[in-house]
């Protein structure tokens, strides 16, 4: 049996807007994210690159860190929007951070052309390492 994904249209719209604020002069690959709490607060993020490359922060982590720093917890979904033929799934470090702060939330991946896929974090990060291991 599969759980039905909630309507994530609003989240995609806000992630699309956030994408326009991306600072991606090196890769030119702009990403937008929007993270939602269970009680409806939404925090956006975009990727922020740096000339030293390694300091680049992905859109997903920007959204998580912004939200946590504002005192928000208990998330239920994140949307990630790119302008590319392929969907962008969160990278490895983002999956670890999303699992740590958000647990098994819905992850909607979408392109500007409307290609979309919704998965659970537990599908994207099976067998996680987390506080239950410590
Ligand atoms: N990026 C994200 O922001 N999120 C993803 O899910 C994949 C990659 C960013 C990092 C970098 O600024 C650019 O996309 C190219 O890797």
């Amino acid at each position: 049996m599969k759980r039905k994904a909630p309507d994530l249209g609003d989240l995609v719209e806000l992630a699309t807007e956030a994408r326009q604020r991306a600072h991606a002069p090196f890769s030119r690959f702009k990403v937008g994210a929007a993270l939602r709490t269970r009680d409806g607060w939404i925090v956006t993020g975009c990727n922020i690159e740096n000339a030293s490359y390694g300091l680049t922060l992905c859109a997903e982590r920007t959204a998580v860190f912004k939200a946590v720093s504002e005192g928000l917890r208990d998330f239920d979904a994140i949307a990630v929007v790119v302008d590319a033929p392929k969907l962008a799934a969160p990278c490895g470090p983002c999956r670890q951070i999303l699992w740590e702060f958000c647990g098994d939330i819905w992850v909607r991946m979408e392109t500007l052309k409307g290609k979309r896929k919704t998965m659970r974090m537990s599908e994207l990060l099976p067998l996680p390492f987390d506080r239950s291991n410590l």
Side-chain angles (χ1 to χ4, degrees), residues 72-118:
L72 297 173
R73 295 288 175 123
D74 205 15
F75 304 103
D76 83 326
I78 188 168
V80 182
V81 173
V82 294
D83 183 13
K86 255 181 95 171
L87 298 167
C91 72
C94 284
R95 292 180 199 203
Q96 184 69 23
I97 294 291
L98 283 164
W99 184 259
E100 178 87 14
F101 290 104
C102 311
D104 196 14
I105 61 170
W106 292 106
V107 180
R108 160 69 71 89
M109 294 153 273
E110 187 148 336
T111 70
L112 286 193
K113 291 224 164 72
K115 190 174 192 176
R116 63 178 71 101
K117 189 175 174 75
T118 308

Side-chain angles (χ1 to χ4, degrees), residues 7-22 31-37 40-47 59 63 66 77-82 108 110 112:
D7 178 20
L8 300 171
D10 290 358
L11 219 47
V12 169
E13 206 173 298
L14 287 167
T16 303
E17 280 173 28
R19 186 188 157 274
Q20 290 167 356
R21 298 189 286 273
V31 186
L35 177 65
R36 187 176 70 191
T37 65
W41 295 97
I42 295 174
V43 176
T44 63
C46 58
N47 53 330
K66 277 175 66 184
I78 188 168
V80 182
V81 173
V82 294
R108 160 69 71 89
E110 187 148 336
L112 286 193

